[in-house]
């Protein structure tokens, strides 16, 4: 767990997934498949025909099972919100708010506990920074790059060299190196930090860059250094200029080691052990979270407690939706690693609570205010704040029907581009689903998808070419961008934090 967040340890590379909304849980415990019903929520029903209508009229909706389930899940969450408004049961009491903002509370508490541990345990010796600066195998440099690839036209390279020489002359006249780096460097990563490159060993850069850099004395500036990436001006900053930077580096290193040892010790000291069938239980919970959210079956046991399937659902719902999308297909080793990380986070929060760590009154007020503002905005946008919805003089059945019609009208406005999608916070959707009956029907959703495909094909055939009606309710197109590639799929020059524009080896 590195400084910023309790949830960092949950971001396992093997579980960086794309998928459905966090509100896409399935309540199946009392469920029998009915192809004539795609979903139900608090007495309201989504028919396959209505699901198909939403999908076929929305722009850029993919005609696949995942998209169909996403639309049905959004309908469930909106419908539950509408019926809660009718009954005057919108989750605005303190207990409901605490549950809805639990992810933020856990992050604040976990981070504060982590910081308190680091403050007590990461003291540097008086000579640590001097020793690091004078080490023979680690150096800190600044550079200014005037980019001109080896295959650039001679005129371009000549112009860049001329610019580099003029800049070197200004440095010799006393203009601050960092200021010129921020203004002129073609290396986007170091440019924003006065030209500073990360502390690193000899051999990190291409030969000409590396050789020139390691000959510099403290405070000395190089001449022009040519590499395959252009022309560089290098500088080795003096110790007094980088003392704080090196101190932060050492503290971060110590913190990383303490993080690892502390999290490992949590499992050992508390005798944490996964149950043998943890992967199977996780997959089952992912398939049927509506059932799992009530289950006390342990996934991991430790001194004084356990991580249950109910806890698992809560943690997963606190994460962005992509982390839950493919849990069912993950291998056993990955799921064990995931469960161990969740159990360690639960133990960390238990330690924080025992240490008296909690959100401050000001933090609670801020979380509550932002939550209520988000909810009020959503309710108003959907028209669920209409007086007739809560008027006791209007029969309940009539008010329920009116709320349902407002939900459907809101979905239509989304498709027509007349309103923008306001997602329910993940935890709010979980609170609503825990208090009202709902269900998603695979057979009904599949039937709705089938109808939607038929309608889309008919539109395409009638137009003689693919056509998509205008609308606004659509998932983001395409997969996540691949780090290190541009939109054409090529690898551009990278920043010094992870690339080659400073002359690092490929």
């Amino acid at each position: 767990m590195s400084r910023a967040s309790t949830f960092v340890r949950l971001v396992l590379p093997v579980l960086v997934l794309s998928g459905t909304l966090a509100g896409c849980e399935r309540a199946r415990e009392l469920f029998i498949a009915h192809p004539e019903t795609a979903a139900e929520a608090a007495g309201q029903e989504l028919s396959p025909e209505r699901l198909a209508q939403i999908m076929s009229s929305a722009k850029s909706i993919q005609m696949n099972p995942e998209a169909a389930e996403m639309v049905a899940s959004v309908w469930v969450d909106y419908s539950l919100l509408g019926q809660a408004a009718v009954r005057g049961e919108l989750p605005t009491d303190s207990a409901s708010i605490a549950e809805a903002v639990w992810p933020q509370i856990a992050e604040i508490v976990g981070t504060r506990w982590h910081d308190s541990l680091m403050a007590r345990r990461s003291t540097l010796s008086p000579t640590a920074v001097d020793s690091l600066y004078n080490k023979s195998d680690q150096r800190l440099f600044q550079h200014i790059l005037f980019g001109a690839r080896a295959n650039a036209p001679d005129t371009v390279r000549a112009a860049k060299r001329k610019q580099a020489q003029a800049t070197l002359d200004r440095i010799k006249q006393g203009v601050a190196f960092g200021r010129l780096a921020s203004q002129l460097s073609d290396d986007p990563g170091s440019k924003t930090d006065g030209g500073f490159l990360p502390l690193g060993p000899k051999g990190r850069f291409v030969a000409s860059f590396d050789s020139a850099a390691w000959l510099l004395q403290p405070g000395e500036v190089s001449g022009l250094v040519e590499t395959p990436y252009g022309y560089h001006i290098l500088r080795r900053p003096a110790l007094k200029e980088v003392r704080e930077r090196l101190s932060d580096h050492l503290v971060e290193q110590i913190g990383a080691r303490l993080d690892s040892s502390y999290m490992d010790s949590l499992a050992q000291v508390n005798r944490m052990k996964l149950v043998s069938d943890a992967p199977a239980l996780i997959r089952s919970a992912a398939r049927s979270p509506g059932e799992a959210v009530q289950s006390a079956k342990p996934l991991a046991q430790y001194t004084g407690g356990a991580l249950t399937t109910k806890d698992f659902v809560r943690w997963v719902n606190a994460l962005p939706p992509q982390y839950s999308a493919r849990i069912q297909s993950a291998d056993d080793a990955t799921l064990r690693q995931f469960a161990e990380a969740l159990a360690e986070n639960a133990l960390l929060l238990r330690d924080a609570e025992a240490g008296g760590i909690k959100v401050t009154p000001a933090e609670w007020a801020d979380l509550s205010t932002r939550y209520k503002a988000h909810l009020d905005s959503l309710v108003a946008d959907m028209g669920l704040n209409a007086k007739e919805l809560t008027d006791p003089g209007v029969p309940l059945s009539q008010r329920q029907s009116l709320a349902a019609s407002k939900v459907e009208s809101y979905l239509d406005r989304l498709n027509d581009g007349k309103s923008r999608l306001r997602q329910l916070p993940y935890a709010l959707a979980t609170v609503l689903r825990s208090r009202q009956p709902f269900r998603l029907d695979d057979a009904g959703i599949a039937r709705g998808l089938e109808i939607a495909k038929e309608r889309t094909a008919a539109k395409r055939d009638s137009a003689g070419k693919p056509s998509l009606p205008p609308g606004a309710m659509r998932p983001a197109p395409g997969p996540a961008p691949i780090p290190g590639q541009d939109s054409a799929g090529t690898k551009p020059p990278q920043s010094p934090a992870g690339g080659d524009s400073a002359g690092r080896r490929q």
Side-chain angles (χ1 to χ4, degrees):
M1 192 189 72
S2 62
R3 274 192 66 82
S5 170
T6 299
F7 298 109
V8 169
R9 286 184 62 85
L10 306 185
V11 184
L12 307 178
V14 287
L15 284 176
V16 178
L17 312 165
S18 60
T20 58
L21 294 174
C24 208
E25 309 99 350
R26 279 167 282 209
R28 305 178 188 276
E29 60 273 17
L30 301 174
F31 184 68
I32 300 174
H34 296 289
E36 68 275 12
T37 303
E40 293 182 6
Q44 306 305 311
E45 181 179 306
L46 175 68
S47 68
E49 290 75 15
R50 174 57 175 160
L51 174 60
Q53 180 187 18
I54 296 171
M55 293 189 67
S56 59
S57 62
K59 187 177 181 180
S60 298
I61 284 284
Q62 297 294 318
M63 293 298 163
N64 58 40
E66 292 77 16
E69 186 174 20
M70 179 198 75
V71 173
S73 293
V74 168
W75 178 90
V76 164
D77 292 333
Y78 288 161
S79 297
L80 293 177
L81 185 66
Q83 296 308 308
V86 164
R87 295 193 302 274
E89 296 177 357
L90 288 173
T92 56
D93 59 281
S94 295
S96 296
I97 295 174
E99 181 63 25
V101 300
W102 175 80
Q104 295 97 307
I105 291 174
E107 184 169 357
I108 291 171
V109 169
T111 300
R112 184 164 295 142
W113 176 243
H114 169 273
D115 289 347
S116 71
L117 293 176
M118 295 305 103
R120 294 197 300 263
R121 300 165 63 185
S122 57
T123 303
L124 294 178
S125 69
T127 60
V129 171
D130 299 73
S131 297
L132 178 59
Y133 183 83
N134 293 315
K135 285 182 69 173
S136 60
D137 60 345
Q138 296 281 323
R139 289 283 169 85
L140 189 63
F141 300 111
Q142 291 171 279
H143 87 133
I144 306 174
L145 169 67
F146 300 88
R149 295 276 179 164
N151 59 356
D154 291 343
T155 54
V156 172
R157 294 187 62 81
K160 286 292 184 179
R161 182 181 179 87
K162 182 177 180 180
Q163 184 186 11
Q165 184 60 57
T167 301
L168 180 59
D169 292 341
R170 294 177 66 188
I171 293 171
K172 291 178 179 178
Q173 293 167 10
V175 180
F177 190 98
R179 174 180 148 198
L180 292 175
S182 298
Q183 293 174 350
L184 303 173
S185 182
D186 290 328
D187 177 15
S190 66
K191 178 176 183 175
T192 60
D193 189 24
F196 276 97
L197 299 168
L199 184 73
K202 190 172 184 178
R204 181 177 188 177
F205 307 106
V206 294
S208 54
F209 186 109
D210 211 54
S211 297
W214 281 75
L215 289 174
L216 295 173
Q217 298 300 309
E220 186 178 5
V221 176
S222 73
L224 297 190
V225 177
E226 184 177 354
T227 76
Y229 308 99
Y231 300 96
H232 306 255
I233 304 172
L234 314 179
R235 179 174 184 266
R236 184 184 178 193
L239 174 59
K240 64 181 180 180
E241 301 173 55
V242 293
R243 181 173 293 280
E244 183 177 355
R245 185 181 294 265
L246 293 177
S247 177
D248 289 344
H249 173 80
L250 288 172
V251 169
E252 184 176 341
Q253 281 191 323
I254 294 171
R257 290 195 296 269
L258 289 175
D259 279 344
S260 179
S261 62
Y262 171 66
M263 297 306 287
D264 289 343
S265 71
L266 278 178
Q268 296 171 4
V269 170
N270 292 281
R271 300 181 180 179
M272 190 266 286
K273 184 178 181 181
L274 295 182
V275 300
S276 59
D277 58 345
L281 290 172
I282 290 173
R283 293 190 185 95
S284 177
R287 286 193 301 270
S288 306
E291 181 177 351
V293 77
Q294 304 297 330
S295 175
K297 288 183 179 178
L299 298 176
Q301 295 175 319
Y302 44 78
T303 303
L307 176 76
T308 66
T309 51
K310 178 180 179 179
D311 298 328
F312 166 81
V313 172
R314 189 190 200 197
W315 277 100
V316 170
N317 286 342
L319 294 170
Q322 61 266 32
Y323 292 100
S324 62
R326 295 182 185 171
I327 286 176
Q328 295 180 56
S329 61
D331 59 44
D332 284 4
T334 295
L335 295 182
R336 288 192 185 94
Q337 183 184 10
F338 189 55
E340 287 173 354
L342 294 178
E344 288 172 355
N345 273 272
L347 288 168
L348 180 145
L349 291 179
R350 190 173 74 170
D351 273 7
E353 182 180 0
I357 304 296
K358 58 182 68 176
V359 294
T360 66
E363 288 167 337
W364 170 252
D366 179 61
L367 290 172
S368 299
T369 299
R370 286 192 284 119
Y371 167 81
K372 289 178 180 178
H374 187 120
L375 183 59
D376 288 345
S377 178
L378 178 60
V379 166
D381 201 34
M382 295 178 67
L384 296 175
N385 57 351
K387 291 182 179 180
E388 57 267 30
L389 286 179
T390 54
D391 185 352
V394 179
L396 177 60
S397 59
Q398 185 175 332
R399 287 185 280 133
Q400 289 175 326
S401 296
L402 179 59
S405 69
K406 288 187 177 295
V407 169
E408 298 301 337
S409 176
Y410 179 63
L411 290 171
D412 288 337
R413 294 200 310 274
L414 289 175
N415 285 342
D416 293 338
K418 296 177 181 178
S419 188
R420 68 186 184 90
L421 177 64
R422 292 181 182 273
Q423 279 185 223
L424 268 66
Y426 307 134
L428 171 58
T430 302
V431 170
L432 290 171
R433 291 184 177 210
S434 69
R435 297 182 178 185
Q436 301 179 76
F438 75 95
R439 67 180 185 177
L440 295 168
D441 188 312
D442 282 347
I445 292 173
R447 176 57 184 153
L449 175 60
E450 182 182 350
I451 297 171
K453 287 180 177 178
E454 291 171 355
R455 291 181 178 177
T456 302
K459 289 180 183 179
R460 186 181 297 116
D461 292 342
S462 64
K465 60 181 180 179
S467 63
L468 288 171
M473 184 178 173
R474 55 186 181 272
I482 301 173
Q485 291 192 355
D486 60 20
S487 58
T490 59
K491 187 173 183 179
Q494 300 174 8
S495 70
D500 60 9
S501 59
R504 276 177 290 283
R505 299 182 185 278
Q506 299 287 316

